[in-house]
């Protein structure tokens, strides 16, 4: 069992857990993820590691409620335990394998969308701790949905916030900020790391491709085991089939087939929707899911 | 009684079991087992024993069954086989012990597998535990993975007096016995979990959720955590795909994914939190045991199921009993057929599978007649789900993170056949991680040999 040292609600549907997980905290690097099961009968949920504390043997996980599994997870409180935490899984960010001299000569831009701000954070922090500067754009739908602004501000050289509705920071999508920075604000970037919803990463990549900025994305497809065993997470990159869990989760964004990846993400949409309704409404569920027959 | 025939065994009727996940074979009663035991000729030079990878003294244990001394029969089996309740159920007996049985020349062989299963189940039900471990010798051994090779290795090592810890990547122990083989063939609560509980009882420790190569490396286990030797029994878990068009469509699964969802995550149960796709018509590509397991799972989840296999029925690599059961339950066999493309609709979901007809040509490297495409034989089958069951290869997670551990061109770990020693000192390996996908009994046998190898190594160190 893995104790939740601190459970926090960050926004209406985004939560943060600091969890004691000795082996993961000792071994993990930015870019890696864990697979979590909240209860003894729960599904396996992959979550990117947002932060880690080697001394206290803890990791920080940030997740958004999107289905029955994450809804159930969100109900856990400080002092409760996660039934399972396995990892770290996947390959560490490419940045960790690049020489610091090379990194210091590069101008690096991070683009974070929504809950994708969480996996961007450890990379920005790791770079800063190794003396490398980086700029960060965080995009959120509204001011209320923005997360980790203060944390990011500690480590980012320049932090640009944008909201879709203009309720905070700049107004518009992250792609607009990238274009504004490069085209009208005299910024130059040698590389970009974009993490967020699939659709955001797709359009980020179209933008950075036009601007000729090599871009890495971190994919979060459906997974079961997370160790290369099931192939549920397969994704086409540069015409080749890769398993996101062991070959990724980070890939060259300009080579990823996002359209296929988005279709694959929806495979269990109906089942997930039903399960979410059942979990959310509990005993008060009396139909509307099209499955239980309660409406008749 | 017709001595040429096996005493018939009780099974769930095909039309009933096609709709549930309970075990198909219900096993012999005491009386039936004793009667079947009388069919053994008790050969002086028993060929059956030569056919058994772990050389169970088959005529001896059957003799005890005949006398009704099941405790003694269990003792005899236990000397050689650590997991008899499992092997009795999943060994390919027809190509091993039963394939050599002299009774089989002029009739049906003795039902050795079913008798082994009976004895093991009897002992388990009686709560008969194996002897306690010997005195601890103070040396630590790490066993990576918790499938049949690892369980057998750990079971022997703890008897030799070692302090044994199993490291398992998933949230439950059992490896392929748990995630791969379905409930209707190998019950989890009654068989697999009890076998594992027995190991725990003997003093083996299990650390779950630990992905060796990621959570901790073998070097760290040996240098920082004080393990004197390591056994790698991580199996062959990476699924293969065909590389044909449409293979990434929604509705195409590896057999591993499909079976893991159903077996490990219990997705067959309506109350499970893990989803599994339910389809009207399913094509399962492949002819091995895993293909049969996937097909029979899909059938139980309400689908019409077709096995698509490129050779003829005689070459099906699955156990005869599995093919027989699958047919009885209504699985349709499209043999001498090979997929060339998966057809998809506008939403990116599977809507069919395009196949060609095959004929058998000259024998190939495997000695089997090579299937050759019949020109112009292309045809489509309407299906809404495809399960690829084309075999698996070893996971490179450990070999790629351990210095000095050599692998061959098929990513299998290079290890000595007799003692399991790898190219890295103190590190041993066995089972599918070394041979590529094979059987439970061969993995178990390799695990036991490696336990002897480790014992020799640490005794002389």
């Amino acid at each position: 069992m893995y104790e939740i040292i601190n459970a926090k609600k960050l926004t209406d549907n985004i939560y943060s857990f600091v969890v004691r997980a000795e082996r993961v905290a000792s071994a993990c690097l930015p870019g890696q993820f864990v697979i979590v099961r909240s209860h003894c009968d729960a599904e396996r949920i992959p979550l990117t590691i947002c932060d880690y504390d080697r001394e206290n043997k803890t990791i920080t996980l940030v997740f958004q409620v999107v289905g029955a599994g994450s809804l159930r997870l969100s109900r856990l409180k400080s002092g409760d335990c996660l039934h399972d935490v396995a990892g770290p899984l996947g390959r560490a960010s490419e940045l960790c394998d690049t020489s610091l001299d090379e990194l210091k000569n590069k101008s690096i831009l991070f683009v974070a969308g929504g809950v994708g701000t969480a996996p961007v954070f450890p990379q920005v922090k790791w770079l800063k701790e190794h003396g490398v500067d980086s700029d960060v754009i965080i995009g959120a739908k509204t001011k209320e949905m923005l997360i980790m602004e203060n944390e990011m501000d500690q480590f980012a050289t320049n932090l640009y916030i944008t909201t879709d509705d203009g309720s905070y920071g700049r107004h518009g999508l992250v792609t607009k900020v990238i274009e504004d920075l490069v085209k009208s604000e005299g910024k130059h970037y040698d590389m970009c790391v974009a993490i967020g919803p699939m659709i955001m990463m797709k359009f980020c990549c179209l933008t950075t491709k036009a601007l000729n900025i090599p871009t890495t994305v971190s994919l979060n497809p459906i997974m079961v085991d997370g160790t290369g065993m099931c192939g549920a997470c397969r994704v086409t990159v540069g015409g080749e089939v890769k398993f996101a869990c062991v070959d990724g989760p980070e890939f060259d964004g300009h080579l990823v087939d996002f359209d296929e990846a988005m279709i694959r993400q929806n495979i269990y949409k109906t089942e997930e929707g039903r399960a979410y309704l059942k979990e959310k409404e509990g005993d008060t569920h009396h139909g509307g899911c099209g499955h239980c027959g309660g409406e008749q | 009684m017709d001595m040429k025939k096996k005493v018939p065994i009780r099974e769930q009727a095909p039309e009933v079991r096609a709709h549930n996940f309970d075990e198909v074979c219900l096993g012999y009663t005491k009386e039936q087992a004793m009667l079947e035991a009388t069919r053994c000729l008790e050969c002086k030079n028993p060929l059956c024993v030569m056919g058994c990878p772990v050389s169970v003294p088959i005529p001896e244990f059957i003799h005890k069954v005949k006398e009704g001394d099941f405790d003694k029969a269990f003792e005899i089996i236990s000397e050689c086989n650590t997991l008899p309740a499992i092997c009795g159920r999943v060994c390919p007996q027809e190509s091993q012990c039963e394939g050599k049985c002299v009774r089989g020349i002029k009739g049906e062989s003795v039902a050795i597998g079913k008798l082994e299963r009976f004895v093991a189940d009897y002992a388990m039900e009686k709560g008969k535990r194996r002897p306690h471990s010997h005195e601890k010798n103070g040396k630590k051994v790490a066993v990576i993975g918790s499938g049949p090779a690892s369980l057998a290795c750990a079971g022997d090592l703890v008897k030799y007096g070692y302090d044994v810890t199993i490291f398992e990547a998933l949230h439950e122990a059992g490896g392929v016995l748990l995630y791969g083989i379905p409930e209707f063939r190998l019950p989890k609560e009654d068989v697999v979990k009890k076998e594992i509980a027995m190991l725990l009882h003997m003093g083996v420790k299990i650390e779950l959720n630990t992905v060796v190569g990621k959570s901790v490396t073998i070097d760290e286990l040996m240098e920082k955590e004080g393990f004197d030797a390591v056994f790698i029994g991580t199996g062959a878990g990476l699924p293969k795909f065909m590389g044909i068009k449409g293979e990434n469509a929604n509705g195409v699964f590896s057999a591993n994914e499909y079976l893991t969802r159903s077996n490990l995550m219990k997705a067959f149960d309506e109350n499970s939190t893990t989803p599994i796709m339910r389809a009207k018509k399913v094509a399962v590509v492949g002819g091995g045991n895993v293909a049969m397991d996937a097909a029979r799972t899909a059938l139980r989840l309400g689908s019409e199921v077709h096995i698509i296999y490129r050779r003829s029925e005689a070459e099906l690599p699955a156990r005869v009993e599995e093919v027989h059961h699958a047919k009885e339950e209504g699985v349709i066999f499209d043999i001498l057929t090979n997929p060339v493309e998966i057809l998809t609709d506008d939403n990116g979901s599977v809507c069919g599978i395009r196949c060609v007809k095959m004929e058998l040509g000259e024998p190939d490297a495997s000695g089997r007649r090579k299937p050759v495409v019949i020109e112009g034989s292309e045809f489509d089958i309407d299906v809404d789900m495809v399960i690829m069951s084309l075999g698996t290869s070893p996971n490179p997670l450990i070999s790629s993170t351990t210095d000095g551990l050599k692998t061959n061109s098929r990513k299998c770990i290079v290890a000595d056949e007799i003692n399991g020693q790898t190219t890295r000192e103190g590190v041993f390996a066995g089972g599918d991680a070394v041979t590529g996908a094979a059987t439970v009994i061969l993995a178990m046998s390799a695990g036991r040999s490696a336990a002897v190898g480790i014992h020799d190594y640490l005794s002389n160190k």
Side-chain angles (χ1 to χ4, degrees), chain B residues 254-274:
Chain B
S254 71
N256 261 8
E257 178 185 353
Y258 191 71
L259 289 171
T260 301
R261 283 180 183 274
S262 183
N263 301 336
L264 175 71
M265 305 310 295
K266 310 255 182 293
F268 67 83
D269 185 337
E270 287 275 342
N271 293 317
S272 167
T273 49
T274 299

Side-chain angles (χ1 to χ4, degrees), chain A residues 37-43 72 83, chain B residues 265 271-274:
Chain A
R37 291 198 327 141
S38 56
H39 301 77
C40 66
D41 61 344
E43 67 179 316
R72 205 168 163 210
H83 199 275
Chain B
M265 305 310 295
N271 293 317
S272 167
T273 49
T274 299

Side-chain angles (χ1 to χ4, degrees), chain B residues 39-236:
Chain B
R39 294 183 63 236
C40 178
L41 300 171
E42 303 190 20
C43 307
K44 284 232 173 70
N45 286 313
L47 296 175
C48 53
V49 179
M50 287 162 62
C52 174
V54 296
S55 308
V56 169
I58 293 164
E60 279 91 329
F61 100 72
I62 293 183
H63 184 78
K64 291 295 165 193
V65 174
K66 190 160 73 182
E67 290 178 347
D69 188 354
F70 309 129
D71 290 343
K72 186 69 192 161
F74 179 69
E75 249 174 62
I76 293 169
I77 296 174
S78 297
E79 285 299 310
C80 301
N81 189 339
T82 329
L83 309 165
I86 293 170
C87 292
R89 287 172 166 85
V90 303
C91 264
Q93 286 96 2
E94 70 269 13
S95 56
Q96 297 179 352
C97 53
E98 294 182 23
K100 305 261 183 190
C101 176
V102 173
R103 269 274 180 220
I105 298 169
K106 281 190 179 167
E108 289 179 357
S109 61
V110 175
I112 302 168
K114 299 286 187 273
L115 289 174
E116 179 182 41
R117 171 198 157 137
F118 165 78
V119 171
D121 286 359
Y122 172 87
M124 212 181 272
E125 206 166 299
K126 259 187 80 183
K128 196 175 151 60
R129 292 281 185 241
R130 271 170 231 139
H132 277 276
S133 58
H134 297 67
E135 257 180 49
K136 292 273 174 212
N137 63 22
K139 289 178 185 163
K140 282 171 74 178
V141 183
V143 172
I144 322 295
S146 64
S150 293
L151 294 179
C153 188
D156 280 2
L157 286 171
V158 80
K159 279 190 221 161
Y160 295 144
Y162 294 96
D163 180 353
V164 182
T165 306
I166 291 178
F167 294 91
E168 166 56 44
L170 292 170
H171 58 264
E172 268 186 69
V176 74
L177 305 172
L178 195 72
Y179 74 75
I181 304 175
E183 184 73 24
F184 53 81
R185 203 147 80 75
L186 184 63
K188 307 304 164 217
E189 293 296 330
D190 288 346
V191 181
V192 181
K193 289 188 182 174
K194 281 189 182 165
E195 291 281 11
I196 290 165
M198 215 175 269
L199 283 182
L200 293 172
H201 177 81
M202 288 160 71
V204 173
K205 285 170 259 179
I206 300 184
E207 195 181 311
L208 300 171
N209 296 317
T210 308
V211 188
V212 174
K214 290 284 181 189
S215 312
V216 63
T217 61
I218 285 185
D219 297 80
E220 287 167 337
L221 287 175
M222 298 182 83
E223 284 154 26
K224 291 189 187 156
E225 301 195 19
F227 287 96
D228 300 290
V230 174
F231 174 74
I232 305 171
T234 45

Side-chain angles (χ1 to χ4, degrees), chain A residues 23 87 227-230 234, chain B residues 207 215 225 238 247 254 395:
Chain A
R23 288 204 186 274
T227 63
M229 208 178 79
C230 80
R234 59 197 193 275
Chain B
E207 195 181 311
S215 312
E225 301 195 19
L238 292 191
E247 215 167 7
S254 71
N395 197 323

Side-chain angles (χ1 to χ4, degrees), chain B residues 433-450:
Chain B
V434 170
T435 57
T439 59
V440 169
I441 185 76
L442 283 171
M444 210 194 80
S445 166
R448 299 203 72 195
S449 304

Side-chain angles (χ1 to χ4, degrees), chain A residues 194-250:
Chain A
I195 309 179
M198 209 73 94
I199 188 82
M200 175 215 116
M201 291 192 282
K202 175 183 170 176
F203 282 97
C204 266
C205 287
L206 290 173
T207 306
T208 56
K209 192 158 191 194
L211 296 169
N212 219 355
I213 308 170
T215 300
T216 299
V217 296
S218 176
L219 302 181
N220 55 340
I222 292 171
M223 289 184 191
V224 184
D225 63 291
T227 63
M229 208 178 79
C230 80
C233 65
R234 59 197 193 275
V235 48
T236 305
V237 182
E240 265 183 71
V241 177
K242 300 278 184 190
F243 287 8
C245 67
V246 286
D247 301 322
E250 295 192 353

